[in-house]
Amino acid sequence: MTRWIYAFEDGDGADRELLGGKGAGLAEMTRLGLPVPSGFTITTEACARFFAASEGWPGGLEEQLDAAIGALEARSGRRFGDRRAPLLVSVRSGAAVSMPGMMDTVLNLGLNRETTAALASATGNPRFAWDSYRRFVQMFGDVVLGIHYTRFHRVQEQFLQGGSLDDLDAAGLEALCGRLEAEVAELGEAFPSEPREQLKFAIDAVFRSYNSHRARYYRKTHGIPDDAGTAVNVQQMVFGNMGQDSGTGVAFTRNPKDGSRGLFGEWLPNAQGEDVVAGIRTPMPLASLEEASAPVYGALVEVLGQLEAHYRDMQDIEFTIESGKLYLLQTRSGKRTAQAAVQIVVDLVDEGVIDRRTALGRIDPRELECVLRPVISPDAKRKVIARGLDASPGAATGRVVFEPSDCQEFYDRDEPTILVRLETSPEDIQGMTVAAGVLTARGGQTSHAAVVARGMGKPCVVGCTDVQVDYARELFYAGDSVVRKGDWITIDGATGEVMDGRVQMLAPQTDVGSMATLLQWADEESRLKVRANADTGTDAARARQLGAVGIGLCRTEHMFFQPEALRAIRQMILADDPRSRQRALNDILPLQRSMFRELFVVMDGLPVTIRLLDPPLHEFLPQREGDMVEVAVDLGVRPEALRARLVQLHEANPMLGHRGVRVGITTPEVYRTQVRAIFEAACELQRDGIKVFPEVMIPLVGIADELERMRALVVETAEAVIAEYGAGPDYRVGTMIELPRAALTADAIAEHADFFSFGTNDLTQMTYGLSRDDMGKFFPDYQREGILSESPLSVFDVEGVGALVKIAVERGRAAAPRLKLGVCGEHGGEPVGVRFFHDVGLDYVSCSPYRVPVARLAAAHAALGIGV
Amino acid sequence: MTRWIYAFEDGDGADRELLGGKGAGLAEMTRLGLPVPSGFTITTEACARFFAASEGWPGGLEEQLDAAIGALEARSGRRFGDRRAPLLVSVRSGAAVSMPGMMDTVLNLGLNRETTAALASATGNPRFAWDSYRRFVQMFGDVVLGIHYTRFHRVQEQFLQGGSLDDLDAAGLEALCGRLEAEVAELGEAFPSEPREQLKFAIDAVFRSYNSHRARYYRKTHGIPDDAGTAVNVQQMVFGNMGQDSGTGVAFTRNPKDGSRGLFGEWLPNAQGEDVVAGIRTPMPLASLEEASAPVYGALVEVLGQLEAHYRDMQDIEFTIESGKLYLLQTRSGKRTAQAAVQIVVDLVDEGVIDRRTALGRIDPRELECVLRPVISPDAKRKVIARGLDASPGAATGRVVFEPSDCQEFYDRDEPTILVRLETSPEDIQGMTVAAGVLTARGGQTSHAAVVARGMGKPCVVGCTDVQVDYARELFYAGDSVVRKGDWITIDGATGEVMDGRVQMLAPQTDVGSMATLLQWADEESRLKVRANADTGTDAARARQLGAVGIGLCRTEHMFFQPEALRAIRQMILADDPRSRQRALNDILPLQRSMFRELFVVMDGLPVTIRLLDPPLHEFLPQREGDMVEVAVDLGVRPEALRARLVQLHEANPMLGHRGVRVGITTPEVYRTQVRAIFEAACELQRDGIKVFPEVMIPLVGIADELERMRALVVETAEAVIAEYGAGPDYRVGTMIELPRAALTADAIAEHADFFSFGTNDLTQMTYGLSRDDMGKFFPDYQREGILSESPLSVFDVEGVGALVKIAVERGRAAAPRLKLGVCGEHGGEPVGVRFFHDVGLDYVSCSPYRVPVARLAAAHAALGIGV
């Protein structure tokens, strides 16, 4: 006979799968001899069988439940329905992983009119007893019978007629209970008065809540199997609301906001469970408990110490004080901010509680991206008006603007802005630079806005289809809200939430000491090196500070969006003949050279991979009709000529268009100028004693012959410059692998490459046949349907794109064993990707500066086999 | 010592590599004892060594040349420079493969003022002698010294002062020769009078012409190696211009236009070589030679019979009659139209000259596409004003129109049109249907225009960047030409040429008996089956007539461009709620059903693969602002609503957008309606005794889960319909493999598929990262640079895309050994693709109806290993 029920003292505190998180904690605390009210746990297996049997109880559960209740009655000296000493219990769900949508708690189960009277006489406190019954009727009606709580609320409001619950005496509360019972009866629901029947109803309700729509959706989107089931915990009630020597609270063994040592928590005297979080009364800091009752406080401190030592992690407990006696109702590894998480594990290592590898394993690499960003205060009030994709973590509050140029205007007045757009384009970079955050209605995780914002370490929400932008009227709609230019909003780039108004935030950590320590330990374990994608000296400096050991991707075109360079590149594009094209390129040369100088100086001693021009040329021309005349005048051409060139350059599918090496082949003078700028900067600096290691990278190669020609162009130009200077740096020439064809023909391509750098953004888009800018049209449906839980642009697609990378690594290395292999797509800073790149044998990953810590920790996880 | 020179009687007539085509033919004819003037061939190796040695003659060549001349002098009894019996020779190039840009011919070499005088007295015909010298000076000046022929032309015109050459006597001609010599001298060129020196100059010129720009470009684009070299043929002159018993001509052993039996050719009495083609005098049909000289004609007939029997192929010869004696100057396998080629090999098999396999091997599968199309008459005069891509073979003449609606208007007046556009879109299909041909300035081999035109069997030239279209003024520019609406042009879809005016054409063959015979032989050798891509009953009927054994791709959306269906689909797209969407779909259902009925009836007994909706929905909305209001009124919506929906559906990269199975996932009712239409049609017809084998195909699958869901939808709907009818057909459910990810994860996808059909158009675009609509921007440069000789959209990319197909076949068959495998992209009718698909083990290919013959023959070539 399968055992469906375990008393807390019989359960295995390590078996969260069987007992759920809550049940396992209760069993463990009971075994440790801590003061836990008695009770038992119905296993998750029982729940799974419940569904397997079309919502029927598994054979033996009923009998085992009778036995468990009998044992609880015997141990407590109370009995279900007893008119002198009634047994009252709480019923709470508890899956292995907690999830929203699950039934929470029914307190005071076992009460009916008779037992309430008994409770009244036993405690000598009829008001307490009828208030407990009132709570029970409402909770049971709500969570077990599914009656919406607003119905009870309305009944109660009508009954109170403007008065307060606190004004009612026992008789008044009894009368209110009658009205609530009548409401249940009116809805045709049978309200069971028999405690065993109440319990069976409640157990069924917990089971069923596991299959609620929200819970199923949560499991789907979090990859939790549907057949795990939830446990049910039945526990004898203790009452924090029995007078001033009673109370209830929550306590953390360390500060969950910053990880600092020392107890942290809140409590309320003479209150029951949910009162602390319900916000009706303001809870008091835990320290005040010491003044109220030193012995209880002492007991709490001791218990917390015991629990942390036992679990070797910060614990978060719920406690109740009943008439001066402390009871523990739950313990778990407490939730904490990313900053706190890092601080705690480093302290725990310091205290000798855990070892370094354990510390590394405790931190989810993704969290580290939040350490350096402002976050919304855990207790802040917020009104979410829309949800989009979590493109770049951190929260930002600012005034809404729609035109990038307005960002500057507000910035000059010291007012933060949130730039709201349908999508962004390279022209918007200046505005983005001074905005506090960016919100776009379209686009995915690798849309322009997302990539640029991540590079800048700026909070960003994209693909927010809830938002309808009206540029003309300078406003956006989000559900019922209308938000106008100048209104305040707050965005959380870690959750994708858009909130009305200014929301309270926690300042970002500035002392990254504990993170630096942790990452140093990480580096000692890793094989993969971590570089950064950086286009400016500022980015590069930040990257180096965060531990990058080189630049894996400098996008030269980003330099072209500086006004002076933009003007020159536009002249180059509009040039009618090779002479005027060369003249424009001659203007670009010194600008590029000085930009490369900046990078090289910052990265002294480390390699810098520079990608030659990648985007199609039309990206550099104004996209908005309104800018056309101004730009034309500035360039000294007729607006019609500008428009005509735009039409000529127009592409049906620019992703698949005339870009990358294709520009290099058709207009070699562009690449030649860039290479000259790189080597002039490098030679100058080398003469000044800076150690420069340039790596020139050709984008979008799909044919070996393309690389062969461009390599020849690079070498010829580089050698010419080096000859002019008399000496120059060692350098490498390599290619992006971002077309499936490049991966498939990697052997032929490797013959002309010193290195490969996988451009997993484009490689994913081509392999999957999707466009980062358009996938918002169907991806939400895919997510809702559970076809994809994450965008393959956010989380590396090991199965599909990974298969191509593997082929390229094998074929490339077979043809050129000394080929250096890296990745510079977004997945270089994403743990699933980093693990794969470690496994497949790459030499390095490269990612946004702010993701360098993520990648460093993920590389250690991969090397240690953590989380496999 | 390497042998650089072979006398005709010593050469190996089979060694075209060494002697060139012309030299091998002369050697072979000499060995057969035919009347060939004596001479010798300088080998292609000598030419290759000439370039290897920086244009120096290889060691020994000079000595061997002296010996060869000596032998020729001995054999002819004439000597170079001799004042009584001077030796005169012709010098002609002759590579293994003939190519444009090579030096052609110098006649009468050996003449100078002395030998001309000798010739005059020896023949007693001074006028003939001086005319020969005049020809020599002009030819030598032009082809050897590189003096542009217009210079000589001007000198001659000035000299004649309005008169004609025929008016000059010997003295006049001698004076003219003096002027021509003076012109050479004035240009600073030394005109050698010493015959041996003339010969060395001429040999150098032939060698050098092998490296001319045009020849190099031709080799690059035709994949001919650069180091093969050309041979030089030196042959004793015979004179067709020695009087009325002399003459010159060309003759074919069969008719090169239609392949019919019997001699075919032209000749001119008293004329020299180039006079026949120069068009100064009109040549006479060969039959007239019999009247002029029965013995010579008899000799010619006999020689032609001998040559065809020897070469076992239709021969094309050049002959000269000198004073009643026949000489052969060249023989080669004659050029012929595709129609003639087929007729000839079938006849040769019939005559027992060659066997069936040889016959199959003689025909290039690509030629067969032209058999059913009108072609430009080989002797038509043409003025080419632009060149584009050869998108769909056949030639068409018509009046230029720019608006598809104008096609109908002209069509109604019985006037053929050529529709000229920047590019076409699905809205233009009605216009294309009634146009005689289509010309687009943009787009590649799989652009909309190209694919649709091929499907219709309509001549089409695309990507014609020479053409600048001005819609507003209804004209286009091409070089110096301005072509207005209503002007006549002619396009040749087999060459990509656009010609001014009406050009004379040959009607297409209507009796395809010989092709049917040939293809029946082909089918007996093939393993691959050939199906057709067809969307209508008409297309399907044509496909079946051409031997397709099923439909491999029916694009259901093409049906939606019928006006009635278009209206319903637009209503579906604009529907605000599920109810009105379903209402619109209910209107679509009977239309689709009747369209499927048509297909099934035509394909009775054969499988029909139907692809569910593939393009993004915005393709069905009007693209031109001008149509917006009219369409909105028709649909009963406000124009703003229509525009708003267009904006909402807009995609940055529609190729990678919300299309294919993604529409099926987000709007399953669309697929459900289509499946219902398929099975209602199938069940009805099966009841009537028609044998229906539907295969439902899901496009753009990249994730196994997508197919699993859509398969469930198809099966559920199909079974429901079958249950309603009480009985229904067997059916299959499968998927396109057109995303790299689908190929890479073919094992997982195969679990839900009865068949795979490789969609090589999209697969190539994704793998290569290029868009058929945009590649015109850089592909011409790639072709010019020799990076790609053919677009991978035209000729299958075995190395890259092929690697993916191979992976998919292996993984798919490993997971599902009974998986049926086919291809339905454009490469299914393209010989390189067909060979690869045969090799990799596919079951069938599917292509445009007009390419079915191509595929059938290519499949036989693949099975027989022909052309490997």
Side-chain angles (χ1 to χ4, degrees), chain B residues 662-680:
Chain B
R662 296 163 188 175
V663 173
I665 296 278
T666 56
T667 328
E669 51 270 39
V670 175
Y671 275 18
R672 223 175 269 130
T673 302
Q674 293 195 298
V675 175
R676 175 160 277 278
I678 293 169
F679 283 90
E680 286 185 359

PDB file of all heavy atoms in Angstrom, chain B residues 662-680:
ATOM      1  N   ARG B 662       3.161  29.578 -38.926  1.00  0.00           N
ATOM      2  CA  ARG B 662       2.959  30.573 -37.875  1.00  0.00           C
ATOM      3  C   ARG B 662       1.556  31.169 -37.955  1.00  0.00           C
ATOM      4  O   ARG B 662       0.962  31.505 -36.931  1.00  0.00           O
ATOM      5  CB  ARG B 662       4.030  31.665 -37.994  1.00  0.00           C
ATOM      6  CG  ARG B 662       5.416  31.100 -37.757  1.00  0.00           C
ATOM      7  CD  ARG B 662       6.532  31.999 -38.256  1.00  0.00           C
ATOM      8  NE  ARG B 662       7.810  31.290 -38.160  1.00  0.00           N
ATOM      9  CZ  ARG B 662       8.961  31.761 -38.607  1.00  0.00           C
ATOM     10  NH1 ARG B 662       9.003  32.935 -39.203  1.00  0.00           N
ATOM     11  NH2 ARG B 662      10.061  31.041 -38.478  1.00  0.00           N
ATOM     12  N   VAL B 663       1.042  31.303 -39.177  1.00  0.00           N
ATOM     13  CA  VAL B 663      -0.346  31.740 -39.342  1.00  0.00           C
ATOM     14  C   VAL B 663      -1.272  30.610 -38.872  1.00  0.00           C
ATOM     15  O   VAL B 663      -2.281  30.849 -38.212  1.00  0.00           O
ATOM     16  CB  VAL B 663      -0.631  32.118 -40.808  1.00  0.00           C
ATOM     17  CG1 VAL B 663      -2.109  32.403 -41.017  1.00  0.00           C
ATOM     18  CG2 VAL B 663       0.211  33.320 -41.221  1.00  0.00           C
ATOM     19  N   GLY B 664      -0.901  29.376 -39.184  1.00  0.00           N
ATOM     20  CA  GLY B 664      -1.706  28.234 -38.750  1.00  0.00           C
ATOM     21  C   GLY B 664      -1.805  28.132 -37.236  1.00  0.00           C
ATOM     22  O   GLY B 664      -2.839  27.760 -36.686  1.00  0.00           O
ATOM     23  N   ILE B 665      -0.728  28.486 -36.548  1.00  0.00           N
ATOM     24  CA  ILE B 665      -0.739  28.417 -35.075  1.00  0.00           C
ATOM     25  C   ILE B 665      -1.564  29.561 -34.495  1.00  0.00           C
ATOM     26  O   ILE B 665      -2.348  29.369 -33.572  1.00  0.00           O
ATOM     27  CB  ILE B 665       0.708  28.491 -34.529  1.00  0.00           C
ATOM     28  CG1 ILE B 665       1.541  27.277 -34.987  1.00  0.00           C
ATOM     29  CG2 ILE B 665       0.712  28.635 -33.007  1.00  0.00           C
ATOM     30  CD1 ILE B 665       1.367  26.025 -34.186  1.00  0.00           C
ATOM     31  N   THR B 666      -1.369  30.784 -35.050  1.00  0.00           N
ATOM     32  CA  THR B 666      -2.037  31.928 -34.439  1.00  0.00           C
ATOM     33  C   THR B 666      -3.496  32.045 -34.900  1.00  0.00           C
ATOM     34  O   THR B 666      -4.306  32.603 -34.185  1.00  0.00           O
ATOM     35  CB  THR B 666      -1.306  33.250 -34.771  1.00  0.00           C
ATOM     36  OG1 THR B 666      -1.218  33.380 -36.193  1.00  0.00           O
ATOM     37  CG2 THR B 666       0.088  33.264 -34.193  1.00  0.00           C
ATOM     38  N   THR B 667      -3.822  31.539 -36.096  1.00  0.00           N
ATOM     39  CA  THR B 667      -5.199  31.622 -36.603  1.00  0.00           C
ATOM     40  C   THR B 667      -5.590  30.254 -37.150  1.00  0.00           C
ATOM     41  O   THR B 667      -5.749  30.070 -38.360  1.00  0.00           O
ATOM     42  CB  THR B 667      -5.300  32.664 -37.749  1.00  0.00           C
ATOM     43  OG1 THR B 667      -4.355  33.715 -37.537  1.00  0.00           O
ATOM     44  CG2 THR B 667      -6.685  33.265 -37.827  1.00  0.00           C
ATOM     45  N   PRO B 668      -5.755  29.264 -36.276  1.00  0.00           N
ATOM     46  CA  PRO B 668      -5.957  27.884 -36.759  1.00  0.00           C
ATOM     47  C   PRO B 668      -7.202  27.733 -37.631  1.00  0.00           C
ATOM     48  O   PRO B 668      -7.264  26.830 -38.455  1.00  0.00           O
ATOM     49  CB  PRO B 668      -6.068  27.052 -35.478  1.00  0.00           C
ATOM     50  CG  PRO B 668      -6.243  28.019 -34.357  1.00  0.00           C
ATOM     51  CD  PRO B 668      -5.694  29.331 -34.807  1.00  0.00           C
ATOM     52  N   GLU B 669      -8.175  28.651 -37.475  1.00  0.00           N
ATOM     53  CA  GLU B 669      -9.402  28.493 -38.275  1.00  0.00           C
ATOM     54  C   GLU B 669      -9.124  28.602 -39.772  1.00  0.00           C
ATOM     55  O   GLU B 669      -9.857  28.033 -40.580  1.00  0.00           O
ATOM     56  CB  GLU B 669     -10.485  29.486 -37.829  1.00  0.00           C
ATOM     57  CG  GLU B 669     -10.054  30.937 -37.739  1.00  0.00           C
ATOM     58  CD  GLU B 669      -9.505  31.320 -36.373  1.00  0.00           C
ATOM     59  OE1 GLU B 669      -8.785  30.486 -35.769  1.00  0.00           O
ATOM     60  OE2 GLU B 669      -9.780  32.446 -35.915  1.00  0.00           O
ATOM     61  N   VAL B 670      -8.047  29.318 -40.140  1.00  0.00           N
ATOM     62  CA  VAL B 670      -7.709  29.421 -41.565  1.00  0.00           C
ATOM     63  C   VAL B 670      -7.316  28.042 -42.101  1.00  0.00           C
ATOM     64  O   VAL B 670      -7.837  27.577 -43.125  1.00  0.00           O
ATOM     65  CB  VAL B 670      -6.566  30.429 -41.793  1.00  0.00           C
ATOM     66  CG1 VAL B 670      -6.137  30.433 -43.256  1.00  0.00           C
ATOM     67  CG2 VAL B 670      -6.989  31.827 -41.346  1.00  0.00           C
ATOM     68  N   TYR B 671      -6.416  27.377 -41.408  1.00  0.00           N
ATOM     69  CA  TYR B 671      -5.987  26.049 -41.853  1.00  0.00           C
ATOM     70  C   TYR B 671      -7.152  25.060 -41.783  1.00  0.00           C
ATOM     71  O   TYR B 671      -7.326  24.212 -42.661  1.00  0.00           O
ATOM     72  CB  TYR B 671      -4.816  25.552 -40.995  1.00  0.00           C
ATOM     73  CG  TYR B 671      -3.460  26.036 -41.473  1.00  0.00           C
ATOM     74  CD1 TYR B 671      -3.337  27.126 -42.338  1.00  0.00           C
ATOM     75  CD2 TYR B 671      -2.293  25.383 -41.069  1.00  0.00           C
ATOM     76  CE1 TYR B 671      -2.094  27.558 -42.768  1.00  0.00           C
ATOM     77  CE2 TYR B 671      -1.048  25.807 -41.495  1.00  0.00           C
ATOM     78  CZ  TYR B 671      -0.943  26.896 -42.345  1.00  0.00           C
ATOM     79  OH  TYR B 671       0.295  27.310 -42.767  1.00  0.00           O
ATOM     80  N   ARG B 672      -7.963  25.200 -40.736  1.00  0.00           N
ATOM     81  CA  ARG B 672      -9.080  24.271 -40.589  1.00  0.00           C
ATOM     82  C   ARG B 672     -10.015  24.385 -41.786  1.00  0.00           C
ATOM     83  O   ARG B 672     -10.470  23.371 -42.330  1.00  0.00           O
ATOM     84  CB  ARG B 672      -9.799  24.569 -39.267  1.00  0.00           C
ATOM     85  CG  ARG B 672     -10.166  23.305 -38.517  1.00  0.00           C
ATOM     86  CD  ARG B 672     -10.762  23.613 -37.149  1.00  0.00           C
ATOM     87  NE  ARG B 672      -9.769  23.666 -36.097  1.00  0.00           N
ATOM     88  CZ  ARG B 672      -9.646  24.659 -35.223  1.00  0.00           C
ATOM     89  NH1 ARG B 672     -10.449  25.712 -35.278  1.00  0.00           N
ATOM     90  NH2 ARG B 672      -8.713  24.615 -34.287  1.00  0.00           N
ATOM     91  N   THR B 673     -10.267  25.613 -42.224  1.00  0.00           N
ATOM     92  CA  THR B 673     -11.141  25.823 -43.378  1.00  0.00           C
ATOM     93  C   THR B 673     -10.525  25.219 -44.635  1.00  0.00           C
ATOM     94  O   THR B 673     -11.208  24.563 -45.426  1.00  0.00           O
ATOM     95  CB  THR B 673     -11.384  27.335 -43.585  1.00  0.00           C
ATOM     96  OG1 THR B 673     -11.961  27.861 -42.392  1.00  0.00           O
ATOM     97  CG2 THR B 673     -12.292  27.590 -44.768  1.00  0.00           C
ATOM     98  N   GLN B 674      -9.236  25.424 -44.812  1.00  0.00           N
ATOM     99  CA  GLN B 674      -8.595  24.873 -46.006  1.00  0.00           C
ATOM    100  C   GLN B 674      -8.652  23.352 -46.014  1.00  0.00           C
ATOM    101  O   GLN B 674      -8.905  22.733 -47.046  1.00  0.00           O
ATOM    102  CB  GLN B 674      -7.144  25.347 -46.075  1.00  0.00           C
ATOM    103  CG  GLN B 674      -7.014  26.851 -46.323  1.00  0.00           C
ATOM    104  CD  GLN B 674      -5.596  27.206 -46.746  1.00  0.00           C
ATOM    105  OE1 GLN B 674      -4.643  27.009 -45.991  1.00  0.00           O
ATOM    106  NE2 GLN B 674      -5.462  27.725 -47.948  1.00  0.00           N
ATOM    107  N   VAL B 675      -8.393  22.751 -44.864  1.00  0.00           N
ATOM    108  CA  VAL B 675      -8.396  21.289 -44.787  1.00  0.00           C
ATOM    109  C   VAL B 675      -9.803  20.758 -45.051  1.00  0.00           C
ATOM    110  O   VAL B 675     -10.000  19.775 -45.769  1.00  0.00           O
ATOM    111  CB  VAL B 675      -7.869  20.818 -43.422  1.00  0.00           C
ATOM    112  CG1 VAL B 675      -7.995  19.301 -43.292  1.00  0.00           C
ATOM    113  CG2 VAL B 675      -6.419  21.239 -43.239  1.00  0.00           C
ATOM    114  N   ARG B 676     -10.788  21.453 -44.501  1.00  0.00           N
ATOM    115  CA  ARG B 676     -12.164  21.045 -44.746  1.00  0.00           C
ATOM    116  C   ARG B 676     -12.465  21.100 -46.258  1.00  0.00           C
ATOM    117  O   ARG B 676     -13.042  20.162 -46.820  1.00  0.00           O
ATOM    118  CB  ARG B 676     -13.126  21.929 -43.951  1.00  0.00           C
ATOM    119  CG  ARG B 676     -14.601  21.677 -44.232  1.00  0.00           C
ATOM    120  CD  ARG B 676     -15.502  22.199 -43.125  1.00  0.00           C
ATOM    121  NE  ARG B 676     -15.614  21.259 -42.014  1.00  0.00           N
ATOM    122  CZ  ARG B 676     -16.437  20.206 -42.002  1.00  0.00           C
ATOM    123  NH1 ARG B 676     -17.203  19.946 -43.045  1.00  0.00           N
ATOM    124  NH2 ARG B 676     -16.481  19.410 -40.960  1.00  0.00           N
ATOM    125  N   ALA B 677     -12.032  22.165 -46.910  1.00  0.00           N
ATOM    126  CA  ALA B 677     -12.278  22.292 -48.353  1.00  0.00           C
ATOM    127  C   ALA B 677     -11.622  21.145 -49.119  1.00  0.00           C
ATOM    128  O   ALA B 677     -12.218  20.555 -50.028  1.00  0.00           O
ATOM    129  CB  ALA B 677     -11.758  23.641 -48.858  1.00  0.00           C
ATOM    130  N   ILE B 678     -10.392  20.804 -48.733  1.00  0.00           N
ATOM    131  CA  ILE B 678      -9.681  19.697 -49.401  1.00  0.00           C
ATOM    132  C   ILE B 678     -10.478  18.402 -49.261  1.00  0.00           C
ATOM    133  O   ILE B 678     -10.714  17.686 -50.239  1.00  0.00           O
ATOM    134  CB  ILE B 678      -8.281  19.497 -48.772  1.00  0.00           C
ATOM    135  CG1 ILE B 678      -7.383  20.698 -49.081  1.00  0.00           C
ATOM    136  CG2 ILE B 678      -7.649  18.195 -49.256  1.00  0.00           C
ATOM    137  CD1 ILE B 678      -6.087  20.708 -48.272  1.00  0.00           C
ATOM    138  N   PHE B 679     -10.910  18.124 -48.045  1.00  0.00           N
ATOM    139  CA  PHE B 679     -11.512  16.800 -47.827  1.00  0.00           C
ATOM    140  C   PHE B 679     -12.967  16.743 -48.287  1.00  0.00           C
ATOM    141  O   PHE B 679     -13.430  15.683 -48.703  1.00  0.00           O
ATOM    142  CB  PHE B 679     -11.311  16.352 -46.377  1.00  0.00           C
ATOM    143  CG  PHE B 679      -9.908  15.864 -46.168  1.00  0.00           C
ATOM    144  CD1 PHE B 679      -8.900  16.740 -45.769  1.00  0.00           C
ATOM    145  CD2 PHE B 679      -9.569  14.551 -46.467  1.00  0.00           C
ATOM    146  CE1 PHE B 679      -7.598  16.299 -45.634  1.00  0.00           C
ATOM    147  CE2 PHE B 679      -8.275  14.109 -46.327  1.00  0.00           C
ATOM    148  CZ  PHE B 679      -7.274  14.983 -45.913  1.00  0.00           C
ATOM    149  N   GLU B 680     -13.665  17.866 -48.266  1.00  0.00           N
ATOM    150  CA  GLU B 680     -15.007  17.844 -48.856  1.00  0.00           C
ATOM    151  C   GLU B 680     -14.900  17.555 -50.350  1.00  0.00           C
ATOM    152  O   GLU B 680     -15.643  16.725 -50.885  1.00  0.00           O
ATOM    153  CB  GLU B 680     -15.730  19.177 -48.605  1.00  0.00           C
ATOM    154  CG  GLU B 680     -16.181  19.318 -47.152  1.00  0.00           C
ATOM    155  CD  GLU B 680     -17.009  20.586 -46.886  1.00  0.00           C
ATOM    156  OE1 GLU B 680     -17.210  21.376 -47.835  1.00  0.00           O
ATOM    157  OE2 GLU B 680     -17.440  20.761 -45.750  1.00  0.00           O
TER     158      GLU B 680
END
